[in-house]
Every structure is written in structure tokens, then in C-alpha cells.
Amino acid sequence: VSLAVGAGVLLLLLVTGWWPAVVLGAHVVGPGWVGRCSLALTLGAAVTGLVQLTLSLLGLATGIGVSIALASLSVMAFRLAPAWRPGTAARRAADPPGSDEPKAGLGRALTVWLLAVVIVSSIVAVGLPFSGDGGKFWAPKARDLADHPALSAPSITDETQLGFHRGYPLLVPALMAPAFGHSAPDAGSGAKLVLHGLGLALLGLIASLLSATGSHGRWVAAAVIGMPVMMLPTVRESLGAGGYVDGVSALFLLLIVDVVDRLRRGAALGGDGAMVVLLGAALVSTKLEGGVELAIVWIAWLLAGPTRGRPSLLLIAGVAVLAIPTFWLHFAAPTDPSITNPALLLQGDVLMARVVPVVAGLAGLLIDTSALGLAPLAVLGCALARRPRWGFGSLLLLGCLAFLVLVYLSTTMHVGRHMHTSLHRLALHWLPAFALLACRSAAHDR
Amino acid sequence: MGRRLVGVVLALALGLAAARVHDLESVGASWLERWAEQHRGPREPDGAALARVAEDAAVDRRADLFGLLVGLAAAAAALAAAPRTFVEGRGAAGRLAGLGGVILGGAAMINSLTEVSRLASHQRWSVGDDNPELTLGPLASTVRGWREDVPDDHAVIVFGMNDFLLSRVGWVLHPRPVYPVVLPRPEGIDLAGLARLASTLELGRAAPGRWLVDLEALAQGNQALVRVEP
């Protein structure tokens, strides 16, 4: 029963996102069904999550009614606004002038591979219970949200209770809450399916966006889709996997990087800008470190140019406005001990003790085959297909590495343990976005 | 011809190296361990725990190295079989590594299905609504029975360092407020002693009643739930 409820919630997310996907992002993923459905699911999750979060803050428990209402609105808008359907002149005009990427399909081999990964990872995901951070934080928060409004949910307001974590906002729990609310008390497979569905959207977008860059993009996409962390139970359900939520961060970050890259190349601000605002707010509301990731993308954009100062500032302001409920809840929650202490960065002996393990750990990501397969090497190989140049991708990489180095140098935990439990998931956040930029760059060079 | 030969030689060499690594139990990084010994940072665990961290890392390193060699051997074999497809044009390294990644992904797929079928045969994989049985196995009936003892508005203090059992107990006892105390059990203290210790804590004091769960006792199949007297 729970599984059917989860499938229903997922379907509502898909329908909710369909109209925004058509209006805002039809040019992003091209005509294929895989890309369209993945984009619709992503935008549906962002819209529904942010609305549920706001309503929860206003005192409503999170139920399925809001999802049904939003899905109905999407259907009505789709029927009432035919001029915005794909293929119209208005939509074509919004395509970036430099949009010379082939809108190729996935190709038969990649489609079969994607289907196989989807089936196997789904079998693994829905039949196993929440584990790691999923069991400790995300599921308790979601179950609480199904029963209480955010400001009175115990795992959100009481730092001594199971499930409390100030750095984990409520977008994902708000998406899972309806599945918990309408399932048997002990059932978890429906909520897990909702979460896994967003992982499938990530796989679909990786396949769709990378295959548009040519044959090397399809090979890299196949390596990224087939990473053990996407399906192998011992890795996917481990402490270092982050209870599936990091796949959602990766999903939002991939699309943000894609759209910002299009904006850099001169795309019209309208639809793409709206997507950045929506996805940026969703990224921050998924995990608070998403705010840092968004800042890295923004700074890389400003530094790499072409500078579009005012629009980029407008986008950041838009993200801040949409993420107000998340900031509100964050500051309303009691404080817990921070996992980092910047003062440690000024202590010579601490830096000396940590710098070598941190650098070795980061370099080790390249050959972290038990979690990431050969995907990092495939991305590196693709990036090196052209002479390295100082640009958006390199600046993003630099920002990402600087963030990781600073986090681990200033951790209040034992550095080895901290890296063991979080390095895979932070790598997962960025890898699809780097894969896209590397493949796109190689394609343009030709 | 030259490319094919290089591919065959590389595939053989990498395959042999992979077979060699497969026989090892772990791959140490003595220089890293020496560095850790010479430069001890804050929040370092004690000697035994530090050795355990290094041991876990060495086991992980062996798995990573084995995967790397197998993936690269597959890529080299592909180079030997179809040099034109994989080497000509730009991005050859990306294509070859991509192929190696697909081979590793295929292996992960087979391992996943094998693992799921093993779990399903032990009733540890299910799409039913039976989460406690799924996760706690024989302990499920014990923990489920606690629902009869502990009213919904009573607080439960869960004592112990077993993360897995902690989240499972929290799952089954929902919606009762659960307060984790992630500490090892002091030497020589029994369940009643722990309950006396818990009575001095502020956790859940506002609730009409408080209970204590000892995760260590639960894992051993002993009595693990006790009322905390005011």
C-alpha cells in the first residue's frame, strides 16, 4: 500500500512540474521523454517542496492536499496557456544564440543502460529501509512534518531529540511527508520511492544533458549513471551515502550549473532566470551547504564572465526571497554544536596534522571506484580533451576544492572520520555538473 | 596493429595486477600512517581506535585499487578490440574511462541483484508495510512490544552507540519523543544502574513518564527497556 502511495505522490510531483518544465525548460532537455519527465519531476519537487514548507511554517501539517492542488493548477495552466507550449516562436526566441548543441536522442545503447540502472536501483531502493542519515534525520523529520506544522515538530524544535539537525532543512522531508501520512505507521517504502524518484530524475537529466554533447558525452553519461553509489546496497545504504538526499542536491545543482552556463552564453533571462531562482531556493532548502554551493556557482559566473552583473544580482535576490521559509526555520531552531570551527584554520599544528590527509583524501576521489566507479576519470579524460583554459568550469572546480579543503581543515571531528562519512556525498553533489561542463566544453571545441 | 598490441599488453598487465590485488586483504599507505603518527591533531581517537580507522581505510583502498585495475583492464581490452571506435578523435581518454565505468557499473548491478536476493531470502528486503521486521529481524517483536508498555506521550531515553539500532528503535517508537544519549555504557553498570543515571538527566523531564532503552542489552537479546523513576 505504501508503495502505491509513494507512486501517487511521485506522479503528482511530475504533473505539478510539467507545466513549469514546458514553459521554462523545454529547450534545456530537448524533445526526448526521459529529459522532459526528469525536468518535470525536478521542477515539481522544487515547487511543491517550497510551497509545502511555507504552508508548514504558517501552521499547516504537510498532507497530500497541497500536492493535488498544485498538480491541478499545472494541468489547468497547461490547458489555458497553449501559446507557451514547446515549438512556438516565443519559446524558440528564448533559446540562447550560441545554442548549437545537437538535440540528439539518448541513443539506443544508453537508453538500455539507463533502463537497466533504473530497474536495479529501484529494486534496491524501495525494498530496503531508511538507513544512515535517512534513518537518523530525514525520515524522522518527514514523519514529524506529516503530524505537526514545522514550528512545533519535535525533531525540528528540540535539539535533544532524535532527528534534529540544524543544517538539514525541510524541503525533502516535506516531499516525503504525504507518503508517510497516508501509509501504515510502520511503512517506509512509499516515502523511499519518492526520494528515489528524485534520484531517477538525476539519472535521466544526466543522460539527457550529456548525450546532447555528442558520443563522448554518452560514454561519460554511461559511466556516471552506472556509478556503484547509484545502486549497490553496501554503498548506497551506507553512512557515507547521506540517506539518498545528496542525490537531490546533485539534481538541483546540475540544473543550476546548466542554466547558468546557458545564461553566460547569452540566453534570455526570463525562463532560465526563473529556473535558477526556483532551483537555487530548492538547493538551499535541501541542505544548507547548498547555499555555499550556490555562492560558488555565482562567484564563478561573475569571475568567468561574460559579466551580467545586474541580472545575476537579481537572481540571487530572488533565491533569497524564495528561501525565506528555510532561513526562518533555521534561525528559529535551537543551535547545536557546529561541525566546523574556523579558529582551527589559524592553528599551525592542526593544519600540519590535517593538510596531508585532506589532500590525499581529495586526490583519492579520482580512484574511489567502490563508490564512484571510473566516472571521475571519465570526466577528467573528457576535460583534458582540449587544452585546459581558465573558465567557468575551472573556477567552479577551484571553488569546490577550496570549500572542501576549508571544511575538512576546520572540522571539529577527527578529520579521517569526517571525510569517511561525507566525502562521497559531496563528490556526488558536484560530479554530474562537472561531467556536463567537461563534455559541453569538449563538444564546443570541436 | 600497434594500438591493438598495446591494448592487449595493457589489458593483460592490468588484469594480472588486479588478480594480485584481489588476493590481498588490504592495501596500506604507510607514509600516511607515519604522518598521522608524527602529527597528531585535535579529537584524535586513542591508539586502538586510530589503528581501526587506518585498517578500515586500508580495506577500502584495496577495493578501490581492485576496481580501478579491473576498469582500466576492460578499457585496454576495448582498445585492443576496436581501436578506431575508442581512440580516434578527441576525448579518447574520456571514452575509454567511460567504458571501464560501464564495466564496473555492470559488476555493481550484478552484485546489487545478488545482495537483494540474499536479503530477500532472509526476509530483509520487502516492499510491504512491515518495516520493523525488515530491519530488526528477530528483535522486531521485542521492540514492537514496547509500544504496549510505553504510552504515546512518554519520553524514551536511548542509551548506546549503535547508530543502526538507535534509528530503528526511534522508528518503531514513533511518535513518542526519543532522546539519544550516544555514549558507551560505563563499566560494571547494569540496566537498573543506567536507569538511576538517566533519572539525573534533564532529557524528556517535561513528559508524564520516562523510559530508558539500553541498545547494548537489546543487541545481546537481553532485557533492554526500563522505567526511569522520577
Side-chain angles (χ1 to χ4, degrees), chain A residues 158-162, chain B residues 153-160 166 177-183 194-195 197-213 228-230:
Chain A
D158 183 353
E159 77 277 19
T160 57
Q161 283 209 30
L162 182 69
Chain B
D153 55 349
H154 281 205
V156 183
I157 299 169
V158 182
F159 199 95
L166 167 65
V178 169
Y179 297 90
V181 179
V182 187
L183 291 172
L194 266 188
L197 202 64
S199 69
T200 64
L201 301 175
E202 286 303 312
L203 299 173
R205 201 175 276 283
R210 295 196 295 169
W211 298 74
L212 174 91
V213 170
V228 176
E229 296 305 331

Side-chain angles (χ1 to χ4, degrees), chain B residues 8-167:
Chain B
V8 169
V9 171
L10 270 177
L12 282 174
L14 290 164
L16 283 173
R20 182 86 195 274
V21 171
H22 184 262
D23 292 338
L24 302 175
E25 281 182 4
S26 61
V27 174
S30 50
W31 58 276
L32 202 55
E33 284 153 26
R34 262 201 311 278
W35 183 275
E37 274 295 312
Q38 288 162 4
H39 304 86
R40 296 183 70 84
R43 297 291 299 272
E44 288 279 6
D46 59 28
L50 198 61
R52 213 164 36 245
V53 170
E55 205 173 295
D56 288 348
V59 171
D60 288 349
R61 209 173 288 121
R62 178 234 162 236
D64 287 339
L65 189 58
F66 177 67
L68 177 71
L69 291 168
V70 168
L72 291 179
L79 173 67
R84 281 196 175 180
T85 312
F86 287 101
V87 174
E88 285 188 1
R90 278 170 175 263
R95 280 196 295 275
L96 282 169
L99 177 78
V102 171
I103 302 288
L104 289 187
M109 214 175 266
I110 294 166
N111 284 342
S112 301
L113 291 174
T114 312
E115 178 69 3
V116 163
S117 99
R118 188 186 67 79
L119 290 168
S121 68
H122 290 86
Q123 283 80 47
R124 291 298 183 99
W125 181 94
S126 158
V127 291
D129 292 350
D130 49 358
N131 215 283
E133 274 74 12
L134 192 63
T135 55
L136 285 165
L139 297 175
S141 57
T142 306
V143 182
R144 205 197 279 274
W146 292 349
R147 287 171 172 170
E148 309 294 325
D149 302 326
V150 183
D152 279 5
D153 55 349
H154 281 205
V156 183
I157 299 169
V158 182
F159 199 95
M161 298 187 65
N162 187 330
D163 260 4
F164 174 79
L165 276 184
L166 167 65
S167 54

Side-chain angles (χ1 to χ4, degrees), chain A residues 106-446:
Chain A
L106 295 190
R108 195 174 298 165
L110 184 59
T111 307
V112 170
W113 178 242
L114 177 65
L115 197 63
V117 174
V118 164
I119 291 170
V120 173
S121 63
S122 302
I123 289 173
V124 170
V126 297
L128 294 175
F130 284 96
S131 54
D133 278 6
K136 259 166 73 181
F137 302 112
W138 300 110
K141 278 177 190 285
R143 290 174 100 189
D144 272 358
L145 274 190
D147 298 335
H148 307 273
L151 285 175
S152 55
S155 65
I156 293 146
T157 53
D158 183 353
E159 77 277 19
T160 57
Q161 283 209 30
L162 182 69
F164 182 86
H165 192 306
R166 200 167 179 240
Y168 289 178
L170 298 179
L171 185 127
V172 168
L175 294 174
M176 292 195 291
F180 277 124
H182 295 83
S183 299
D186 284 333
S189 56
K192 198 107 186 280
L193 179 64
V194 174
L195 199 45
H196 177 63
L198 298 176
L200 297 184
L202 173 66
L203 297 180
L205 277 179
I206 290 170
S208 175
L209 293 173
L210 266 66
S211 62
T213 64
S215 75
H216 60 285
R218 280 196 277 276
W219 277 111
V220 175
V224 177
I225 288 168
M227 291 191 298
V229 74
M230 299 291 190
M231 55 191 153
L232 194 62
T234 46
V235 185
R236 190 138 171 74
E237 304 289 343
S238 72
L239 190 62
Y244 285 59
V245 174
D246 293 274
V248 184
S249 289
L251 173 67
F252 293 138
L253 191 57
L254 170 65
L255 265 180
I256 288 172
V257 168
D258 172 58
V259 177
V260 165
D261 193 37
R262 287 169 195 275
L263 285 171
R264 287 181 55 247
R265 288 186 286 131
L269 188 64
D272 283 337
M275 281 227 291
V276 170
V277 170
L278 180 63
L279 295 166
L283 180 67
V284 175
S285 306
T286 301
K287 277 190 150 188
L288 275 191
E289 66 210 23
V292 180
E293 291 165 343
L294 196 61
I296 291 171
V297 175
W298 186 60
I299 292 169
W301 179 13
L302 290 186
L303 292 178
T307 312
R308 299 175 71 179
R310 193 176 294 171
S312 66
L313 276 176
L314 272 177
L315 296 184
I316 288 296
V319 170
V321 169
L322 275 192
I324 282 175
T326 293
F327 296 136
W328 187 321
L329 279 167
H330 178 69
F331 291 114
T335 51
D336 53 352
S338 174
I339 207 163
T340 57
N341 175 10
L344 291 173
L345 293 171
L346 301 175
Q347 295 180 20
D349 56 333
V350 175
L351 294 183
M352 201 62 180
R354 290 179 170 181
V355 70
V356 168
V358 168
V359 171
L362 290 176
L365 278 178
L366 273 179
I367 55 164
D368 187 3
T369 55
S370 43
L372 306 176
L374 288 195
L377 287 181
V379 175
L380 182 69
C382 201
L384 295 179
R386 55 179 281 180
R387 194 188 305 166
R389 239 181 299 191
W390 206 236
F392 182 55
S394 341
L395 286 166
L396 269 189
L397 180 63
L398 201 65
C400 166
L401 289 176
F403 170 55
L404 292 177
V405 167
L406 288 176
V407 164
Y408 292 124
L409 287 182
S410 62
T411 180
T412 52
M413 293 169 67
H414 176 242
V415 69
R417 282 189 179 163
H418 192 178
M419 291 182 95
H420 183 67
T421 55
S422 62
L423 197 53
H424 291 163
R425 38 176 133 159
L426 289 172
L428 178 63
H429 285 203
W430 287 99
L431 193 63
F434 285 135
L436 174 67
L437 290 179
C439 292
R440 189 173 277 169
S441 160
H444 279 200
D445 209 37
R446 278 209 291 275

